Amino acid sequence: MNSTTNKRIALISVHGDPAIEIGKEEAGGQNVYVRQVGEALSQLGWQVDMFSRKVSVDQEDIVQHNSRCRTIRLTAGPVEFVPRDNGFKYLPEFVEQLLEFQKQNSIKYELVHTNYWLSSWVGLQLKQIQGSKQVHTYHSLGIVKYNTIENIPLVASQRLAVEKEVLETAERIVATSPQEKQHMRTLVSHQGNIDIIPCGTDIRHFGSVDRQAAREALGIDPQAKVVLYVGRFDPRKGIETLVRAVRESKFYGDKDLKLIIGGGSTPGNSDGRERDRIEGIVNELGMSKFISLPGRLSREVLPTYYGASDVCVVPSHYEPFGLVAVEAMASGTPVIASDVGGLQFTVVNENTGLLVPPQDVAAFSNAIDRILGNPQWRAQLGQSGNRRVMSKFSWDGVASQLDALYTQLLQPVKEKEPALVSK
Ligand code: UDP
């Protein structure tokens, strides 16, 4: 690839806007992934356009992240928040708007990287209409999700069909962990091309605040034993398990014990309801003086929270990758995580933290006690986690793997190839 104009890509993330606040309803790992991948690719010379659906009249139509990377918000359906399970009907308009944007700007995206199943449908249309090549990252697989929830949404059959079609027809699927690839193969289809390229983290940002400075900044006593949760308020994140596990810890009742639950929510929305439910449990168990709920943690303040904590707990029922675990490890903080999905790939049991069965209160409690009870081992786990993230999960490393993949997909197909294949 010699000309920079050829290095053009559309990252499509219909419901995961890469330019908005992270840590609130339906804004989490996918938004971070798209933004970080987009910005890192632009540093490698790509012209990156990230497409999302506009959800508020206050939002700008175009946000320029740097001279080669921007978020473009298309109007498709009502300009308001729509839960992702209700978003499918607005996709044809999204495709139309994207084609219109191309026309107005004399651009054609030869390559699109779609994120989550809604965007994968958009990519499938662009492939049909104009032959765009497609790379897809699932972020969540319907078939896995529906096994862990009680109320299956109406859109389920549509989602499962689209997820199978994209696996079988996209030029490449990006699985973010070997466990996710395994699920695609066993639960979705044996056909299709899958590469494993993990999610990454900003290794310069996380780990930038040491423990003493972090505790001073947050007003936390040097003696305190601090357990941290970071993430969205969603029942499938398992916050209830963590609260109950802290209640059962042998350190419970010790004035030094503290549980911080960081994550944003909006009253009346689904994350607001989950926060209310969690606060109800906290009150019922009489734990309020041990727990703080600081709300959404900004990107700027996150390294301070990770740095100040003795252990970060990721109690999700399922997690295809789990960015929080790598952010904590990058910060030198050991992780206790559910033994599921991508967490089995990022967290090395007994080496960078502990893996325990999901929703098992006693197992989480025991793991918390083991780590809080042994500060020297805690420090060793933290250092190993930091080394693991440095070597495997930097955004720069992830972006250079994607760069190589995109470059390969955009190579013109050699004319002689069909003859060779048929031989
Ligand atoms: N996050 C944040 N502030 C918060 C809560 C979460 O910035 O208050 C970020 C967190 O640091 C991580 C992302 O949201 O980068 C969550 O990603 P993860 O893969 O752990 O979970 P998901 O939201 O995708 O289920």
Side-chain angles (χ1 to χ4, degrees), residues 240-259:
E240 175 175 355
T241 307
L242 171 58
V243 169
R244 293 188 186 281
V246 167
R247 179 68 183 79
E248 284 193 11
S249 160
K250 69 178 182 204
F251 297 105
Y252 183 74
D254 178 339
K255 67 173 174 31
D256 292 334
L257 184 67
K258 196 173 172 57
L259 168 61

Side-chain angles (χ1 to χ4, degrees), residues 201-208 390 396:
T201 199
D202 185 341
I203 55 175
R204 286 174 287 273
H205 185 60
F206 293 104
S208 57
M390 295 293 162
D396 296 341

Side-chain angles (χ1 to χ4, degrees), residues 91-338:
L91 296 181
E93 201 180 340
F94 193 94
V95 172
E96 263 170 43
Q97 291 300 315
L98 205 155
L99 293 171
E100 182 59 28
F101 182 89
Q102 286 192 142
K103 205 164 121 197
Q104 304 241 327
N105 292 277
S106 312
I107 296 172
K108 181 183 158 202
Y109 298 104
E110 304 290 346
L111 180 63
V112 300
H113 184 158
T114 54
N115 294 273
Y116 194 63
W117 79 274
L118 293 171
S119 309
S120 80
W121 188 87
V122 173
L124 289 167
Q125 309 314 303
L126 294 174
K127 182 192 284 291
Q128 254 177 31
I129 296 166
Q130 60 180 25
S132 299
K133 291 182 173 163
Q134 183 175 19
V135 175
H136 180 66
T137 304
Y138 282 93
H139 297 276
S140 156
L141 273 175
I143 187 84
V144 175
K145 178 173 175 179
Y146 300 143
N147 284 337
T148 65
I149 58 172
E150 278 164 20
N151 300 324
I152 310 286
L154 283 175
V155 75
S157 58
Q158 184 89 59
R159 173 172 179 177
L160 296 178
V162 172
E163 289 189 337
K164 183 165 189 290
E165 187 181 348
V166 72
L167 173 52
E168 293 178 347
T169 59
E171 272 63 27
R172 203 65 50 93
I173 299 293
V174 172
T176 54
S177 65
Q179 289 73 11
E180 195 189 10
K181 175 173 177 178
Q182 179 74 10
H183 275 137
M184 290 172 197
R185 284 294 179 236
T186 53
L187 301 173
V188 185
S189 175
H190 290 287
Q191 292 172 42
N193 302 313
I194 305 174
D195 281 4
I196 298 172
I197 303 179
C199 291
T201 199
D202 185 341
I203 55 175
R204 286 174 287 273
H205 185 60
F206 293 104
S208 57
V209 187
D210 74 24
R211 186 182 164 90
Q212 197 188 338
R215 288 198 169 198
E216 273 171 24
L218 298 179
I220 297 176
D221 193 278
Q223 305 306 320
K225 293 184 171 59
V226 182
V227 179
L228 176 70
Y229 167 87
V230 175
R232 292 177 294 112
F233 277 94
D234 179 322
R236 289 177 310 122
K237 287 286 184 183
I239 307 173
E240 175 175 355
T241 307
L242 171 58
V243 169
R244 293 188 186 281
V246 167
R247 179 68 183 79
E248 284 193 11
S249 160
K250 69 178 182 204
F251 297 105
Y252 183 74
D254 178 339
K255 67 173 174 31
D256 292 334
L257 184 67
K258 196 173 172 57
L259 168 61
I260 302 175
I261 301 176
S265 59
T266 307
N269 283 2
S270 68
D271 53 9
R273 286 194 294 277
E274 175 63 359
R275 182 179 159 134
D276 290 346
R277 195 180 73 84
I278 295 296
E279 287 195 80
I281 295 169
V282 166
N283 291 335
E284 194 183 300
L285 297 174
M287 296 174 74
S288 37
K289 72 171 192 271
F290 296 93
I291 296 187
S292 74
L293 291 123
R296 186 184 90 86
L297 303 176
S298 69
R299 185 180 145 75
E300 288 64 42
V301 83
L302 271 170
T304 308
Y305 275 87
Y306 287 124
S309 301
D310 290 295
V311 63
C312 178
V313 182
V314 186
S316 313
H317 300 179
Y318 183 73
E319 204 67 73
F321 184 77
L323 276 175
V324 164
V326 286
E327 291 168 2
M329 291 195 291
S331 311
T333 305
V335 175
I336 298 171
S338 298

